[in-house]
């Protein structure tokens, strides 16, 4: 049975699209047929991170409006079998999305895909509500800072009240916490919230911790999901995250500061 997963958070710039791209790619690498949809109508960044911006001919809004079918709009990833992208429109506004059109598209995709990943725009407006409305599960992405965590808490309120599952009173959306740009050394200095602090505020299960890393930016600029950089810490974090989501028991890495050796301490490094 197809699962619809929204990747969401109230604040912009926390790594939702990076997480959507790497999580979808990770599922596809594990053999699951996966599509990732960009709900950020008017901005459209997912295709850049996925490295397929020049291949976008038709988009999500074209499909909703009946101007193209899914076969025309879906872009197959050239590196990963079973991975597809449905880009957002750059020329429309967020009101171009409507609930009936989104439901129709998701129902059609559910005939062929194991997982549908919905990359939500920032904020709590129409696009974000559309991205989460039909979700079965949610990845709530936050940075370890007060404003980001506070906005994520507000999104949790929406997941529990504004979605189809909430309105119909059926099994609630299963929520997972993803903490990005985590730097244990800065936590020790009091410059960031600790994982315990974030967990106490949001009170949802922790799925993964992505360390602060230049690899994320470099991968995004080169049009490649960072999960493909499996030798890098950030790539490994997303691989672990997907494994945990699929039920594997993986230890949580990158959550403790690396201790300096005697020579580095002596040299002041």
């Amino acid at each position: 049975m197809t699962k619809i997963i929204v990747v969401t958070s109230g604040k912009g710039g926390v790594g939702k699209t990076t997480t959507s791209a790497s999580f979808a790619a990770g599922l596809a690498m594990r053999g699951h047929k996966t599509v990732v949809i960009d709900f950020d109508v008017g901005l459209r960044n997912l295709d850049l991170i996925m490295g397929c911006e020049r291949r976008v001919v038709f988009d999500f809004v074209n499909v909703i409006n009946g101007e193209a079918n899914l076969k025309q709009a879906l872009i197959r990833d050239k590196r990963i079998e079973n991975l597809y992208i449905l880009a957002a429109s750059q020329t429309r506004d967020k009101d171009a999305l409507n609930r009936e059109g989104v439901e129709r598209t998701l129902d059609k995709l559910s005939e062929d895909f194991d997982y549908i990943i919905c990359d939500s725009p920032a904020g709590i407006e129409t696009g974000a509500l559309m991205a989460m409305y039909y979700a079965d599960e949610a990845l709530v992405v936050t940075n370890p800072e007060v404003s980001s965590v506070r906005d994520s808490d507000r999104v949790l309120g929406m997941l529990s009240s504004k979605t189809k599952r909430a309105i119909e009173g059926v099994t609630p959306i299963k929520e997972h916490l993803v903490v990005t740009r985590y730097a244990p050394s800065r936590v020790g200095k009091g410059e960031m919230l600790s994982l315990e602090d974030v967990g106490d505020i949001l009170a949802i299960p922790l799925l993964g911790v992505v360390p602060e890393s230049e690899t994320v930016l470099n991968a995004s600029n080169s049009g490649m999901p960072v999960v493909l950089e499996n030798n890098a810490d950030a790539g490994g974090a997303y691989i672990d995250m997907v494994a945990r989501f699929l039920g594997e028991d993986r230890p949580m890495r990158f959550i403790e500061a690396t201790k300096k050796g005697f020579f580095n301490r002596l040299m002041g490094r």
Side-chain angles (χ1 to χ4, degrees), residues 151-181:
D151 288 349
S152 293
D153 191 42
R154 191 170 181 187
V155 166
L156 288 174
M158 292 169 59
L159 289 169
S160 64
S161 63
K162 302 288 188 182
T163 57
K164 186 172 187 285
R165 284 178 171 271
I167 292 168
E168 294 181 352
V170 298
T171 306
I173 290 174
K174 187 175 182 180
E175 299 157 342
H176 309 270
L177 176 61
V178 176
V179 178
T180 56
R181 300 185 65 183

Side-chain angles (χ1 to χ4, degrees), residues 36-41 44-47 60 86-88 117 119:
V36 55
I37 307 174
D38 191 347
F39 275 77
D40 202 355
V41 176
R44 199 175 91 183
N45 289 313
L46 179 66
D47 55 309
F60 190 15
L86 181 56
I117 311 301
D119 180 26

Side-chain angles (χ1 to χ4, degrees), residues 127-140:
L129 286 168
M130 289 291 177
M132 70 172 61
Y133 188 78
Y134 294 102
D136 301 309
E137 303 197 30
L139 304 189
V140 180

